Amino acid sequence: MTISFGWSLDLTGTSRRLAGILTVGFLGAALVLPGSALAAGPYDPVTDVNSMYNTTTYTGVRAWWAAGYTGAGVDVAVIDTGVSPVEGLATAGKIIYGPDLSLESQASNLTNLDTNGHGTFMAGIIAGRGSNAQPGTYATDMADFLGVAPDARIVSLKVGVADGGVDVSQVIAAIDWVVQHRTDNGMNIRVLNLSYGSDSAQAYGVDPLSYAVEQAWKAGIFVVTATGNAGYAFKNGTLTNPAYDPKIFAVGASDSMGTMTTSDDTVPAFSSTGSNSRTPDVVAPGTHIVSLRVPGSYIDQQHGTTGYVTDTLFRGSGTSEAAAFLSGAAALAIQQRPAITPDVLKKLFLDNARLLNGLSANKQGSGEVEMARMLGAPAYNAPNAWRRIAWSSGTGSLELARGTDHVSDDGVALTGEIDIFGHDFDSAAMATLEAAGNSWSGGTWNGNCWSGNSWSTGSWN
């Protein structure tokens, strides 16, 4: 299978897609694994600038915690390779499992669990919380692992398998499910983290994947997507689909340069760049970040000798990490301003970003978000000009939405206007159903039964 959930590895300074049986589109961890990851002696997050302790400190996130904003009451949907309840995500009620739409869903020992490692790593950045962390003390806690929004909940929809394999039809189905079920059983899904992208050249104005994320945005869900790990390209840029859709929020990566000051921060070479028509919205920490490890996962087995930090922690880089950071930040802002709309929240982030020295907007958009400044900043309505930006019709080609990324079975690639089940996909008909909010009927999507049709405690059957 060919996919791009890509832990695009950066072991030698050159960003590459993860190779494997499947080649996919998860953009997440372009792993930058420095030798220091294996440094002798016990790991100390206080001395590691890129630990979550220091990342939440120098970005100003801990000021939000001190003010009482920890993401409580906000649910973040993570469409990824699954999320495993490892230490840091093991607290009761931390993870809610939506349907497993991956090719591993029929293996009962793998259902919902993260065999790749990517989804758990992102969930840790967004909302991780060590089992010993005490509410009310997060701002001064130097010992426990804490993600950006430690009291937010994760709603996990698994679409990718061990080597990251996923088809764009699975991602669209997952987005649609989030939109339809965002308030089920007391849930409050207000943020969707999509550390995924294809290299599609199809215009966002007709693209089915772009249309799906726009429906989430219209439903009041703040959609955060990674820009990609393809680096710089002159004129046309390298933003992935759906990051190239100007209606949603696209996040590139920043690099702390190993210091606690943001004055020397820059954009790493792997972070995808924009064009004159669409730039990243902002950049956020995405280099050498330490988050949660899934022992025995694909990434752990393939790159544990360099990525290993401790028995529970791993190190990686990529625009996926940056998107995860921003998703956690969005949960904090939504807790502070429960009625805020996606457009107003987007404007709030853009207004409270600082331009990095010597870099074009194509690389950094409005710059690096300053969370401490944003805490007390006013929120303004979106500019009228945004209303003139066209929405997608969703009537384009599913095949073109894949770009060059295809899943395959025994060497036969899935191509054409068919979904992962081989069922015909009529994009215009699907767009009509999505606009009405009923593309899912129980466990059926696009004419096929993808999952069960009801909840059983904290999981979708």
Side-chain angles (χ1 to χ4, degrees):
M1 305 184 169
T2 312
I3 335 166
S4 294
F5 255 119
W7 283 68
S8 88
L9 302 180
D10 192 16
L11 304 178
T12 61
T14 303
S15 179
R16 322 184 271 285
R17 279 199 185 128
L18 175 64
I21 299 174
L22 313 160
T23 316
V24 242
F26 279 98
L27 300 169
L31 290 181
V32 179
L33 307 174
S36 60
L38 293 175
Y43 175 71
D44 183 1
V46 177
T47 61
D48 181 354
V49 171
N50 299 302
S51 68
M52 284 308 296
Y53 168 75
N54 280 318
T55 300
T56 54
T57 298
Y58 79 75
T59 56
V61 164
R62 287 182 178 249
W64 286 72
W65 300 348
Y69 302 111
T70 59
V74 180
D75 295 331
V76 181
V78 177
I79 297 175
D80 214 290
T81 58
V83 177
S84 291
V86 298
E87 170 52 35
L89 292 169
T91 306
K94 169 57 77 172
I95 307 169
I96 298 171
Y97 290 108
D100 184 338
L101 306 180
S102 76
L103 296 171
E104 294 173 343
S105 62
Q106 301 308 300
S108 60
N109 62 322
L110 302 179
T111 304
N112 294 324
L113 300 181
D114 186 4
T115 55
N116 176 274
H118 184 276
T120 304
F121 196 95
M122 301 309 138
I125 295 172
I126 295 167
R129 184 179 75 238
S131 297
N132 294 324
Q134 297 299 312
T137 67
Y138 299 159
T140 56
D141 189 333
M142 302 169 66
D144 296 293
F145 182 88
L146 293 167
V148 176
D151 287 334
R153 292 190 302 185
I154 297 294
V155 180
S156 172
L157 282 89
K158 179 177 176 178
V159 293
V161 296
D163 55 4
V166 64
D167 183 60
V168 69
S169 63
Q170 293 165 280
V171 178
I172 294 171
I175 296 166
D176 289 357
W177 188 93
V178 168
V179 173
Q180 283 188 229
H181 296 276
R182 62 190 182 278
T183 59
D184 279 10
N185 294 351
M187 290 196 306
N188 182 32
I189 299 177
R190 297 290 303 279
V191 183
L192 192 164
N193 184 85
L194 192 59
S195 294
Y196 163 91
S198 76
D199 60 357
S200 171
Q202 179 170 227
Y204 89 88
V206 296
D207 185 79
L209 177 58
S210 290
Y211 186 83
V213 293
E214 287 181 3
Q215 301 318 297
W217 192 271
K218 289 178 180 180
I221 300 171
F222 190 70
V223 181
V224 182
T225 185
T227 58
N229 298 326
Y232 174 78
F234 176 70
K235 191 175 180 179
N236 293 327
T238 56
L239 296 187
T240 56
N241 177 18
Y244 65 7
D245 185 338
K247 287 292 190 179
I248 61 171
F249 204 74
V251 185
S254 62
D255 187 339
S256 71
M257 300 303 290
T259 72
M260 291 293 289
T261 177
T262 58
S263 61
D264 62 350
D265 287 3
T266 189
V267 173
F270 64 77
S271 189
S272 287
T273 56
S275 63
N276 291 337
S277 60
R278 171 60 166 156
T279 69
D281 288 301
V282 296
V283 293
T287 309
H288 309 297
I289 303 297
V290 174
S291 186
L292 301 179
R293 170 182 175 235
V294 181
S297 64
Y298 182 88
I299 291 167
D300 194 54
Q301 293 183 49
Q302 296 294 312
H303 309 292
T305 56
T306 46
Y308 176 90
V309 176
T310 71
D311 288 348
T312 61
L313 300 175
F314 210 80
R315 186 185 303 274
S317 298
T319 57
S320 282
E321 281 81 348
F325 177 93
L326 202 289
S327 291
L332 299 180
I334 290 168
Q335 182 191 3
Q336 182 193 42
R337 310 165 195 250
I340 198 167
T341 66
D343 274 352
V344 173
L345 182 52
K346 179 175 182 175
K347 180 75 161 56
L348 184 63
F349 277 120
L350 297 180
D351 287 348
N352 291 281
R354 181 184 63 84
L355 288 172
L356 301 179
N357 294 330
L359 297 174
S360 69
N362 283 0
K363 291 185 177 181
Q364 63 173 317
S366 292
E368 189 172 39
V369 172
E370 293 190 320
M371 290 300 294
R373 186 174 112 197
M374 194 171 111
L375 178 59
Y380 298 106
N381 289 331
N384 288 332
W386 289 8
R387 300 177 186 175
R388 295 192 289 272
I389 299 172
W391 294 96
S392 174
S393 68
T395 57
S397 165
L398 185 69
E399 170 60 21
L400 292 180
R402 295 182 177 109
T404 61
D405 292 332
H406 295 82
V407 296
S408 62
D409 183 24
D410 292 332
V412 179
L414 174 64
T415 62
E417 303 307 309
I418 55 175
D419 66 18
I420 193 67
F421 282 91
H423 192 277
D424 289 344
F425 183 87
D426 183 333
S427 61
M430 180 58 69
T432 299
L433 293 172
E434 289 171 321
N438 57 14
S439 63
W440 279 89
S441 176
T444 299
W445 187 85
N446 198 38
N448 292 292
C449 183
W450 289 57
S451 72
N453 59 8
S454 63
W455 288 98
S456 176
T457 62
S459 297
W460 183 262
N461 286 329

